[in-house]
Amino acid sequence: MSLERPAAYQAYLDQLTATEPTAGAFPMRSGAGDATAVAARLQELRDDLIALSHTVHANPELGFEERIAAAAVGELVGRHGYDIEVGVFGLDTAFRARAGTGRPRVAIIAEYDALPGIGHGCGHNIICAAGVGGFLAAAALVQEVAGSVVLIGTPAEEGGSGKELIARAGGFDEVDCAMMVHPAGSASAACVFLGMRQVEVSFQGLDAHASAFPYMGRNALDACVSAYSMISQLRQHMLPEDRIHGVITDGGDKPNIVPDHAAAMYFVRSLRVDTLVELTERMDAIFHGAAAGTGTVAHPRWDVNPLILPVRSNMALANRFVMAQAEWGKPMPLRAPVPSGSTDMGNVSVRVPSIHPKIAVAPRSVPMHTAEFAGHAVSPRADEGILDGAYGLAVTALDYLADEALRDDVASEFAAAGGVVDVVALDR
Ligand SMILES: [Zn+2]
Ligand SMILES: [Zn+2]
């Protein structure tokens, strides 16, 4: 039995992501962010940023427990002369540092949580170092433009909806736009990230001796399995980009006891907010239908962690990021052709104009959330990726602060895309 990853799909992925970088397709930046000074500052910061990335990588911490990472950022940012508060927004491992004064204000975001078992298989150590580098480089020059830049450290991206919790605590209220980078196997400035919500469903039945009195029982595991197969049938009728994946977390105790309890957990992902809501309703109907057919009762619990919304990439900002990368010598495409996973950055992106570009640090065919990707997250190429991301963030932030026409474009695009979404109202 072979456990090799399928070669045909690797070839498919290579073809999908083999878009030629848009070198020269964009004019040079028109903003006033001082590109040369940013590059010089990053060269000074280089060793510190790589050391930070390696420290975070060597000490993988799960969401809300990222104490080593937060302390390492606190030490580094403090040593460079900026006040940093660790333990803000009601979260022990969230942090915030500020430079400059007043509005406009750009938020640069850092993530630093790891995955159970495989450590930094999503490369958040690179996000952390790139975010800190982007902040420190922009901070050194913010007095020459206007307004301010704030570094916001957001815990628990992997399933904890840390950014939604911070948003609800007011973390993005005084911010005009937000940006971060994420490492990947291919680069693009505006990627498709699906909205996602979680459901934990339990089924309540009646127990009975499975041989002597089966007719006295009602089988909760049957309800769970029926729901699982109806969800497989639902997949034919979803948007091609949408995803539902689940596991059965409780299948009863012993074969000779009719299970009176069973449970499953599903992630439901969709391209749009309205189709995510529609899928939620279809799933609920399936749970209750499976329960009705088996004489059991379903208890779906949605949004145990707050739901996360699709990322609404601000193309005016994404364009600036692409220009900055071309200028830095790492041309990248503006758009990615395939949808990716989900990120709580989606929830920020419907509150303030945002970007979430991907920086290439690994071969295209290496899937994220694997031990293999974790290995690439401390490679020399990943270390370069820190500088690539930091440069793009710093220059785009400074451009935004310096260029009023850009700020107008960013704001009008955000309004045309629907403006602020009331995320809390969508919670169930
Ligand atoms: Zn991830
Ligand atoms: Zn990630």
Side-chain angles (χ1 to χ4, degrees):
M1 172 74 178
S2 163
L3 281 175
E4 299 282 305
R5 295 194 196 283
Y9 290 104
Q10 293 205 17
Y12 164 82
L13 259 180
D14 282 349
Q15 183 208 328
L16 272 181
T17 54
T19 322
E20 282 303 307
T22 47
F26 293 94
M28 293 300 277
R29 293 177 308 106
S30 58
D34 187 333
T36 313
V38 169
R41 181 76 184 117
L42 283 175
Q43 287 312 324
E44 293 165 10
L45 292 166
R46 179 189 176 88
D47 291 348
D48 276 352
L49 298 177
I50 292 172
L52 173 64
S53 169
H54 289 203
T55 296
V56 174
H57 189 278
N59 298 281
E61 300 167 292
L62 299 182
F64 302 118
E65 296 169 10
E66 309 97 327
R67 289 184 182 80
I68 296 170
V73 172
E75 188 280 322
L76 176 56
V77 171
R79 178 152 51 81
H80 284 280
Y82 298 94
D83 289 335
I84 179 164
E85 309 155 83
V86 178
V88 283
F89 312 120
L91 300 174
D92 288 347
T93 55
F95 55 79
R96 177 176 53 188
R98 297 187 181 95
T101 48
R103 309 287 278 266
R105 182 174 294 126
V106 178
I108 294 178
I109 290 173
E111 295 174 2
Y112 31 93
D113 60 322
L115 292 157
I118 52 170
H120 278 286
C122 207
H124 292 187
N125 57 302
I126 298 163
I127 302 178
C128 182
V132 169
F135 168 76
L136 290 175
L141 297 160
V142 72
Q143 304 296 356
E144 295 172 22
V145 287
S148 56
V149 57
V150 54
L151 173 69
I152 300 180
T154 62
E157 189 279 329
E158 298 288 359
S161 304
K163 291 182 196 58
E164 177 60 22
L165 301 179
I166 289 174
R168 290 183 188 187
F172 298 99
D173 287 356
E174 303 285 306
V175 159
D176 297 296
C177 73
M179 56 189 71
M180 61 172 285
V181 293
H182 198 296
S186 60
S188 70
C191 320
V192 176
F193 289 91
L194 304 170
M196 184 183 99
R197 70 199 314 174
Q198 304 178 29
V199 59
E200 292 176 15
V201 59
S202 61
F203 294 93
Q204 182 69 47
L206 287 171
D207 57 357
H209 192 296
S211 178
F213 303 100
Y215 39 84
M216 298 298 283
R218 294 287 182 269
N219 193 320
L221 178 59
D222 282 350
C224 206
V225 171
S226 296
Y228 190 91
S229 71
M230 279 191 265
I231 288 164
S232 298
Q233 291 155 2
L234 170 62
R235 289 197 180 91
Q236 186 184 355
H237 307 291
M238 311 189 308
L239 295 182
E241 296 84 358
D242 291 358
R243 304 277 188 270
I244 301 177
H245 24 255
V247 290
I248 293 179
T249 53
D250 173 15
D253 298 319
K254 216 169 186 304
N256 62 358
I257 308 170
V258 172
D260 68 348
H261 56 89
M265 181 195 278
Y266 293 91
F267 289 0
V268 183
R269 304 190 203 235
S270 192
L271 190 61
R272 299 162 49 98
V273 176
D274 52 2
T275 52
L276 184 62
V277 170
E278 169 72 14
L279 276 182
T280 305
E281 288 165 9
R282 297 291 302 276
M283 294 278 286
D284 263 346
I286 284 173
F287 296 141
H288 293 298
T294 52
T296 61
V297 179
H299 300 286
R301 286 176 61 230
W302 288 91
D303 304 329
V304 178
N305 291 314
L307 84 170
I308 62 180
L309 296 191
V311 172
R312 182 200 285 167
S313 290
N314 188 282
M315 300 312 291
L317 280 177
N319 256 309
R320 285 301 170 100
F321 192 91
V322 167
M323 292 179 211
Q325 292 304 106
E327 185 180 66
W328 176 248
K330 295 284 180 73
M332 73 189 317
L334 181 61
R335 293 176 193 275
V338 274
S340 188
S342 307
T343 165
D344 57 8
M345 190 62 186
N347 297 27
V348 178
S349 76
V350 296
R351 288 177 164 97
V352 295
S354 301
I355 51 168
H356 183 284
K358 281 185 180 170
I359 299 291
V361 304
R364 285 191 186 103
S365 55
V366 177
M368 291 159 70
H369 285 203
T370 60
E372 196 181 356
F373 194 89
H376 285 280
V378 276
S379 65
R381 189 175 173 194
D383 294 346
E384 289 307 314
I386 296 167
L387 278 290
D388 299 345
Y391 182 83
L393 291 170
V395 165
T396 306
L398 290 168
D399 266 5
Y400 180 84
L401 296 178
D403 185 345
E404 190 176 357
L406 172 62
R407 291 200 298 276
D408 289 346
D409 287 350
V410 166
S412 53
E413 181 187 328
F414 183 77
V420 175
V421 172
D422 185 351
V423 183
V424 177
L426 290 168
D427 248 0
R428 289 163 71 97

